[in-house]
Amino acid sequence: MKRIRVIKWVRYATVTALLMFLCLLIWANWEPKTYTEKHIPNDVQYIQLNTGQVSQPQLMNELEQKISSVQGVSSCSYSKVAQTVGVMFRTSVLNTPALIKKVNAITGLNVSVKEIPTSGGCPVGGVKYFFISIKNALKFRA
Amino acid sequence: MKKSNLLLALAATGLLAGLIACKKETKTETIYVDNTPPPPPPTLYTRLGGVSAITLVVDKFINNCATNAFIGARFAPAAANPDRLQVLRFNLIDQICAGSGGPCQYKGRTMVQSHTGMNITNPEFDTLVVQLVKAMTTYSVPTKEQNDLAAILLPMRTDIVGK
């Protein structure tokens, strides 16, 4: 008797999970991709690297140019005040350890990742970003 | 005999002059008929180099803002979260692309809705503009295009500052 009840619950749970997944799939593919989504890759990540002091403006520019030239890096900016370099890169081409390795190799520095809070700040925040990542993962409509 | 030769020469000259005149007339007529309207001037979107060029500028702009000592605290947390970065990045690309006459459509919230409660000051907005100019200069966007883009974006100040 107990076994039958368990099987019943498992069935209900499976059907509910499948229905929820189906709903998410329909929701994710309800609208076609926008022009930007079609043409611009969205696999970018941003990190800041502690560089230590780079005093001369010429060296700062050189540092930015060298890091920008790494394949997969989409932008790079140096902050003299914070002594950090912000790097935006494509995760399909690079990952953080590989980026650090390449930056150290081409600049001769010994950089480390700076911890940045990921909440607060600009008006893009909240629980809806969790759904955006789900939407991106499930979207197959062109 | 001499007289007839002279007459012949005169007739030949007249014929030649007539032919040249006819030719000239035909040429003038062709130019007159070809009065198709000139092609429309390229949009700012085209002059900026399309969505790929706009993306380069936006990526550099976000990076400049996130590493800036004055406004970095506002941008860095959004940039460091990949999902938030994607929304911020695509919203900025769509806004510039659509505003400059491109095929994109901005689907984000209004500037007033987005910035209400953030208490953004005029110096912060000015710093943001400087970072945008720096980003455009990095990618050698000509001054005219920089000014045209600024003319589209700067009126947003009233919707962003002091909200």
Side-chain angles (χ1 to χ4, degrees):
Chain A
M1 193 70 178
K2 208 175 179 183
R3 199 178 160 216
I4 294 168
R5 211 180 283 169
V6 170
I7 291 170
K8 222 176 184 181
W9 273 108
V10 169
R11 271 186 196 162
Y12 281 139
T14 312
V15 170
T16 310
L18 278 172
L19 277 174
M20 281 172 72
F21 180 74
L22 196 68
C23 288
L24 280 172
L25 201 67
I26 292 168
W27 169 71
N29 292 281
W30 194 256
E31 286 182 337
K33 281 184 178 177
T34 62
Y35 185 84
T36 312
E37 283 172 337
K38 275 182 193 168
H39 293 88
I40 303 300
N42 63 8
D43 59 328
V44 287
Q45 194 183 331
Y46 175 81
I47 57 168
Q48 286 186 356
L49 301 170
N50 294 308
T51 58
Q53 200 170 7
V54 182
S55 51
Q56 293 172 2
Q58 196 186 343
L59 289 176
M60 289 176 212
N61 287 338
E62 207 177 294
L63 185 72
E64 280 190 8
Q65 280 172 3
K66 277 182 177 174
I67 297 174
S68 297
S69 69
V70 174
Q71 198 190 356
V73 170
S74 60
S75 75
C76 169
S77 294
Y78 180 74
S79 167
K80 190 183 170 185
V81 179
Q83 294 181 6
T84 56
V85 66
V87 186
M88 202 182 285
F89 61 97
R90 290 192 60 192
T91 50
S92 59
V93 183
L94 274 174
N95 57 24
T96 308
L99 174 71
I100 290 172
K101 210 174 170 184
K102 283 192 177 178
V103 169
N104 285 340
I106 59 168
T107 61
L109 296 168
N110 187 18
V111 298
S112 59
V113 177
K114 184 185 176 184
E115 292 297 324
I116 316 169
T118 53
S119 59
C122 236
V124 277
V127 74
K128 75 171 185 171
Y129 298 99
F130 168 69
F131 287 103
I132 285 170
S133 48
I134 291 177
K135 197 175 184 179
N136 287 335
L138 295 176
K139 193 164 194 167
F140 58 82
R141 186 176 170 184
Chain B
M1 196 65 178
K2 266 185 183 175
K3 214 172 189 179
S4 66
N5 268 353
L6 189 69
L7 276 172
L8 200 66
L10 273 172
T13 313
L15 193 69
L16 198 69
L19 275 173
I20 290 167
C22 272
K23 226 178 185 180
K24 268 186 184 169
E25 206 176 301
T26 317
K27 223 179 189 177
T28 316
E29 207 171 275
T30 313
I31 292 164
Y32 184 72
V33 168
D34 188 24
N35 62 350
T36 48
T43 59
L44 177 59
Y45 172 78
T46 312
R47 286 186 280 134
L48 284 171
V51 75
S52 304
I54 290 172
T55 303
L56 285 175
V57 170
V58 166
D59 285 354
K60 181 71 178 163
F61 167 65
I62 295 173
N63 210 331
N64 286 349
C65 291
T67 46
N68 184 272
F70 189 44
I71 58 172
R74 292 206 185 265
F75 274 87
N81 179 326
D83 293 329
R84 297 178 71 194
L85 174 63
Q86 191 200 323
V87 176
L88 174 67
R89 189 169 170 255
F90 276 14
N91 276 347
L92 286 170
I93 294 168
D94 284 341
Q95 206 166 29
I96 294 175
C97 171
S100 60
C104 312
Q105 196 187 351
Y106 176 67
K107 289 186 169 180
R109 291 182 293 173
T110 64
M111 288 296 102
V112 177
Q113 282 174 336
S114 303
H115 297 92
T116 299
M118 290 190 71
N119 296 314
I120 293 169
T121 60
N122 268 313
E124 282 178 319
F125 188 84
D126 292 338
T127 310
L128 181 128
V129 173
V130 170
Q131 300 314 315
L132 179 63
V133 172
K134 269 188 186 175
M136 289 193 282
T137 309
T138 304
Y139 290 104
S140 310
V141 176
T143 313
K144 187 186 182 313
E145 276 67 35
Q146 289 193 22
N147 291 336
D148 288 353
L149 189 60
I152 295 166
L153 300 177
L154 287 182
M156 292 177 187
R157 180 189 289 267
T158 49
D159 294 338
I160 294 172
V161 174
K163 299 291 171 191

